[in-house]
Amino acid sequence: MLTFVTTHVSWKPLFIGAVITGDDLMRLYFRSPERDRTYGVDVLISQVGPDLLGSLVSPAILANEHLRQPSVDPHCDVLVDLTDY
């Protein structure tokens, strides 16, 4: 079982939900610290651990322009593919 608990502070992205998108795929949803956009972060379920989740509550991963792509998902504005993380 995966448990994700963090104290929210105004400069960190806010975790708002998740959906399983495939056999070993999951999309995690985060609201940006500025609250102006929602990020969908694709991860492998088998690779999700404390190091990956810890990096996602830091604004640096979501702010990386090289990782971001436009989204067609109606639940997020930007996609970040971390399936190779």
Side-chain angles (χ1 to χ4, degrees):
M1 181 167 111
L2 174 67
T3 303
F4 182 57
V5 177
T6 185
T7 302
H8 180 65
V9 292
S10 62
W11 56 270
K12 287 184 175 184
L14 177 64
F15 176 72
I16 57 173
V19 65
I20 295 176
T21 57
D23 287 340
D24 191 32
L25 295 172
M26 178 170 43
R27 182 167 289 163
L28 305 171
Y29 294 98
F30 292 86
R31 181 64 98 170
S32 70
E34 302 83 23
R35 306 277 193 260
D36 63 341
R37 67 178 60 175
T38 301
Y39 294 89
V41 181
D42 292 331
V43 297
L44 295 174
I45 296 169
S46 61
Q47 300 299 316
V48 173
D51 58 336
L52 175 63
L53 294 175
S55 68
L56 290 174
V57 295
S58 164
I61 292 281
L62 299 180
N64 186 333
E65 296 283 335
H66 301 289
L67 296 175
R68 299 187 330 196
Q69 306 168 14
S71 173
V72 296
D73 182 337
H75 304 295
C76 61
D77 305 302
V78 178
L79 286 177
V80 177
D81 184 0
L82 294 181
T83 56
D84 291 331
Y85 183 82

